[in-house]
């Protein structure tokens, strides 16, 4: 069967259509996948190295959040050698609801050495195909530290300097007070007059510049801390954390199957018209009828009604199902008022999902939660004053980047984009 296209009804002669969207359902009984879950407590990629506690705090009240969704996000067909896990968290404080930062999405990532070696082989191959031969030591330093091809014309420039035209040799990891490191000739005891008399010369194989540079970088000790994030904030005792939602496992992940959805009937004209006054045509009736309902929400409700117990919808690089087009998220991902145009979430258009804050690449849609997840999570809640969102849309880095400062084989955590469409307070018609 052809995959479902949100621009069409799937064909006039088809009674049902299978889409590219995977649906997940909640169950108390575990399935083969014990990683993916709704509610409960998060299980990190390595319990001994959790993310910084700051990532699990509400941006509104600074209190710790609770888990809504944990998802096994391994995608070997897209990211070979990447171990990924997604987390969606929310603040339980009523005063934080409907406020930006009260819901977060995190992506845990570990890139194996094999994947890192494959990437290095690709870089080495591109270097060998270059026009200018570069020594192995220079190539490794340039690629490892700066990710760029070193050249003799730019060796002495500071790649982190705000003045790229400056040619003064400097240590990119030094502080302004370390004048001895900034002056490469200070330890050589060369008189200033001799320096002024000698014109700038191209470094040769006999120069001690690589050795001086290596000693300045202290390659035999821990990597420098320039540009690295602050040390992770420690987690408190478990008794100090807010109570978690009940644990449900995600089971029966199947592709979505839809029956053909008929358009709602247009009301017929029943009003008596005065003689000489023309009646409204069919198009005018349709325009008046559609102006009285939220078509986006109606499509959302009709789509979910065909599989009412779904709690998540998953399609990496797919298209989210919008709850509304009138809120900030709907306007961001919507189609300028045209309901039949696909939602664009690629990195080409800057007006869509914001770019990755860690590496600057584009983001793509991966998963969203549906209202039935609230029913499952709050099934045992006594209060009727529960969560108020219609859907939570998660956008992730299209490159599946690693946290800055994390070495290959280690675990990092990156905050991703969570677009929350809150339930509308006014009654829908």
């Amino acid at each position: 069967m052809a995959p479902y296209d949100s621009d069409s009804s799937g064909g006039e002669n088809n009674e049902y259509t299978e889409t590219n969207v995977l649906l997940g359902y909640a169950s108390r009984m575990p399935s083969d996948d014990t990683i993916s879950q709704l509610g409960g407590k998060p299980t990190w990629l390595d319990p001994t190295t959790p993310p910084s506690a700051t990532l699990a705090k509400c941006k509104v009240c600074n209190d710790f959040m609770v888990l809504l969704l944990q998802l096994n996000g391994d995608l070997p067909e897209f990211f070979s050698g990447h171990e990924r896990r997604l987390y969606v968290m929310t603040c339980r404080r009523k005063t934080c609801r409907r406020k930006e930062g009260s819901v977060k999405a995190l992506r845990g990532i570990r890139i194996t050495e094999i994947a890192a070696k494959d990437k290095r082989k690709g870089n080495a191959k591109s270097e060998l195909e270059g026009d200018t031969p570069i020594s192995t030591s220079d190539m490794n330093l340039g690629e490892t530290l700066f990710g760029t091809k070193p050249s003799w014309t730019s060796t002495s420039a500071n790649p982190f300097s705000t003045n790229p035209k400056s040619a003064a040799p400097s240590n990119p990891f030094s502080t302004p007070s370390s004048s001895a490191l900034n002056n490469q000739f200070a330890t050589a005891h060369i008189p200033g007059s001799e320096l002024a008399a000698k014109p700038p010369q191209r470094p040769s194989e006999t120069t001690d510049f690589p050795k001086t540079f290596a000693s300045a970088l202290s390659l035999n000790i821990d990597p420098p801390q320039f540009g690295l994030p602050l040390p992770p904030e420690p987690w408190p005792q478990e008794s100090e954390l807010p109570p978690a939602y009940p644990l449900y496992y995600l089971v029966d992940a199947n592709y979505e199957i839809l029956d053909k959805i008929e358009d709602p009937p247009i009301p017929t004209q029943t009003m008596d018209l005065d003689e000489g006054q023309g009646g409204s045509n069919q198009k005018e009736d349709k325009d008046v009828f559609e102006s009285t309902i939220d078509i986006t929400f109606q499509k959302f409700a009709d789509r979910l009604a065909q599989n009412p117990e779904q709690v998540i919808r998953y399609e990496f690089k797919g298209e989210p199902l919008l709850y509304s087009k009138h809120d900030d998220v709907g306007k961001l991902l919507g189609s300028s008022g045209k309901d039949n145009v696909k939602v664009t979430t690629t990195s080409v258009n800057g007006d869509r999902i914001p770019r990755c804050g860690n590496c600057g690449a584009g983001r793509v849609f991966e998963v969203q939660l549906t209202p039935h997840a609230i029913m499952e999570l709050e099934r045992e809640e006594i209060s009727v004053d529960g969560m108020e969102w219609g859907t939570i849309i998660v956008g992730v880095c299209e490159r599946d980047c690693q946290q800055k400062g994390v070495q290959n084989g280690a675990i990092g955590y990156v905050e991703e984009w969570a677009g929350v469409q809150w339930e509308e307070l006014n009654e829908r018609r």
Side-chain angles (χ1 to χ4, degrees):
M1 287 176 288
Y4 176 77
D5 189 340
S6 59
D7 286 351
S8 65
S9 61
E12 295 297 330
N13 297 326
N14 293 341
E15 295 182 358
Y16 62 90
T17 306
E18 185 180 64
T19 78
N20 292 327
V21 180
L22 275 172
L23 304 182
Y25 301 86
S27 172
R28 289 286 195 177
M29 300 299 295
S31 63
D32 294 336
D33 179 11
T34 57
I35 296 177
S36 300
Q37 65 186 59
L38 197 68
K41 299 176 182 179
T43 55
W44 310 114
L45 288 172
D46 184 352
T48 61
T49 56
S52 173
T54 305
L55 291 176
K57 286 186 176 181
C58 173
K59 294 182 180 180
V60 181
C61 68
N62 205 38
D63 195 8
F64 282 93
M65 312 173 88
V66 296
L67 184 70
L68 289 177
L69 174 67
Q70 175 179 291
L71 194 65
N72 183 353
D74 289 348
L75 292 170
E77 64 273 25
F78 290 100
F79 309 112
S80 177
H82 289 214
E83 185 179 358
R84 353 178 26 251
R85 199 168 295 182
L86 301 181
Y87 307 88
V88 180
M89 313 182 80
T90 186
C91 182
R92 298 203 70 164
R93 289 180 180 267
K94 182 179 179 181
T95 54
C96 295
R97 293 176 187 169
R98 299 180 177 273
K99 295 181 180 179
E100 185 176 356
S102 63
V103 176
K104 280 185 176 181
L106 306 180
R107 174 174 53 84
I109 175 69
R110 172 162 47 193
I111 302 177
T112 63
E113 289 293 339
I114 296 177
K117 288 180 180 178
D118 291 341
K119 185 177 181 180
R120 286 196 293 267
K121 287 180 179 178
N123 293 337
K125 182 179 179 181
S126 62
E127 289 291 348
L128 292 174
E129 294 175 353
D131 296 331
T132 304
I134 301 174
S135 65
T136 304
S137 59
D138 293 331
M139 179 183 67
N140 290 339
L141 277 176
E143 291 182 353
T144 303
L145 296 177
F146 313 123
T148 57
K149 295 182 180 180
S151 62
W152 290 114
T153 58
S154 61
T155 302
S156 59
N158 179 2
F160 299 101
S161 172
T162 56
N163 183 12
K165 296 181 180 180
S166 174
S170 63
N171 177 6
F173 301 100
S174 65
T175 59
S177 61
S178 57
S179 58
L181 291 177
N182 289 334
N183 184 0
Q184 299 290 337
F185 303 96
T187 58
H189 304 289
I190 300 177
S193 59
E194 294 184 19
L195 291 176
K198 293 182 179 181
Q201 299 179 3
R202 173 173 172 169
S204 63
E205 295 182 358
T206 59
T207 184
D208 60 349
F209 177 74
K211 180 179 179 181
T212 305
F213 189 54
S215 61
L217 290 177
S218 301
L219 295 179
N220 293 328
I221 61 176
D222 294 336
Q225 296 299 314
F226 183 87
L228 297 183
L230 296 176
E233 179 182 346
W235 283 74
Q237 296 295 326
E238 188 172 334
S239 58
E240 301 178 27
L241 299 176
Y245 284 112
L247 171 63
Y248 291 88
Y249 296 98
L250 294 181
V251 298
D252 300 334
N254 294 315
Y255 285 101
E256 179 185 40
I257 296 179
L258 296 176
D259 296 329
K260 183 177 179 181
I261 301 177
E262 301 290 344
D263 294 331
I266 300 175
T268 57
Q269 182 74 29
T270 57
M271 182 183 301
D272 293 335
L273 301 175
D274 295 335
E275 185 177 352
Q277 182 178 2
S280 59
N281 57 33
Q282 188 77 359
K283 184 179 184 302
E284 291 175 346
D285 290 339
K286 184 175 185 294
D287 293 339
V288 172
F289 173 67
E290 291 185 351
S291 66
T292 63
I293 64 172
D294 186 338
I295 299 178
T296 302
F297 173 76
Q298 190 63 49
K299 289 183 177 180
F300 179 88
D302 290 343
R303 188 82 169 261
L304 297 187
Q306 297 209 37
N307 299 278
E309 295 185 351
Q310 59 181 287
V311 294
I312 66 166
R313 301 173 58 84
Y314 183 92
E315 185 185 4
F316 183 71
K317 292 187 178 182
E319 300 162 9
L321 183 62
L322 294 180
Y323 178 82
S324 171
K325 67 176 181 180
H326 301 300
D327 61 2
D328 292 340
V329 175
K331 293 175 182 178
L332 182 72
L333 303 182
S335 49
S336 303
K338 298 180 180 180
D339 293 298
N340 289 331
V341 179
K342 283 185 177 181
V343 175
T344 303
T345 56
T346 62
S347 60
V348 177
N349 193 336
D351 296 333
R352 305 308 184 193
I353 296 180
R355 288 183 171 272
C356 176
N358 185 61
C359 72
R363 281 196 176 107
V364 294
F365 167 74
E366 184 159 1
V367 67
Q368 71 182 111
L369 285 91
T370 67
H372 190 73
I374 298 178
M375 181 179 299
E376 296 288 359
L377 293 173
E378 297 183 345
R379 186 180 297 275
E380 300 175 0
E381 297 281 341
I382 300 177
S383 174
V384 294
D385 189 15
M387 290 182 280
E388 299 175 349
W389 46 264
T391 187
I392 300 176
I393 300 171
V394 178
V396 299
C397 176
E398 63 183 357
R399 296 179 183 174
D400 200 41
C401 64
Q402 177 59 281
Q403 178 186 343
K404 293 180 179 178
V406 175
Q407 302 298 321
N408 294 326
I411 298 173
Y413 291 89
V414 179
E415 182 175 354
E416 295 289 13
W417 183 79
V420 185
Q421 294 199 280
W422 301 100
E423 184 181 26
E424 294 186 4
L425 298 177
N426 59 316
E427 182 180 358
R428 297 180 183 273
R429 297 185 181 181

